[in-house]
Amino acid sequence: MAATTTRIATTNGRRYMIQLCKHWAHKFAVTQEGDQGVVPFAEDRRCLLAADDSGLGITIEADDADALPRLQQVVIDHLKRFAFREELGEAVWAPVG
């Protein structure tokens, strides 16, 4: 499985993680507990969210590495909509592993 990760610096990471999880829960079997969330977009692709006091970690996993850029953009676009009052900067993605 291919994976890529980024970290968004924000003091609102937990709030944004909860918003993302709630947003996608109507469509996917999202799990969220404490400061962790998992959005299973499909059987072969998912988004892992981890929040803390200084930011939000986002990891995208997919069986097909070609799907990663599109999933990254979808997640960041949604995050930026929820964080419209805050400038989050550009997400810098790095391969996992």
Side-chain angles (χ1 to χ4, degrees), residues 4-97:
T4 187
T5 191
T6 191
R7 178 145 178 91
I8 305 297
T10 177
T11 57
N12 296 305
R14 182 170 165 69
R15 180 169 52 137
Y16 297 147
M17 181 207 56
I18 290 169
Q19 285 179 293
L20 288 166
C21 288
K22 284 183 180 180
H23 174 76
W24 279 312
H26 72 282
K27 199 170 188 180
F28 306 108
V30 173
T31 57
Q32 189 265 314
E33 187 174 318
D35 293 335
Q36 307 284 317
V38 178
V39 181
F41 290 119
E43 193 172 299
D44 63 341
R45 56 190 71 179
R46 66 185 182 161
C47 175
L48 308 165
L49 303 165
D52 59 37
D53 292 338
S54 63
L56 177 62
I58 304 169
T59 301
I60 306 288
E61 298 177 341
D63 283 351
D64 178 9
D66 292 337
L68 292 175
R70 176 72 182 127
L71 291 169
Q72 292 167 349
Q73 193 61 51
V74 167
V75 172
I76 292 300
D77 286 348
H78 280 77
L79 175 59
K80 286 186 176 182
R81 275 189 245 148
F82 295 133
F84 66 93
R85 292 183 179 97
E86 179 178 2
E87 176 55 49
L88 297 178
E90 288 300 313
V92 178
W93 295 91
V96 173

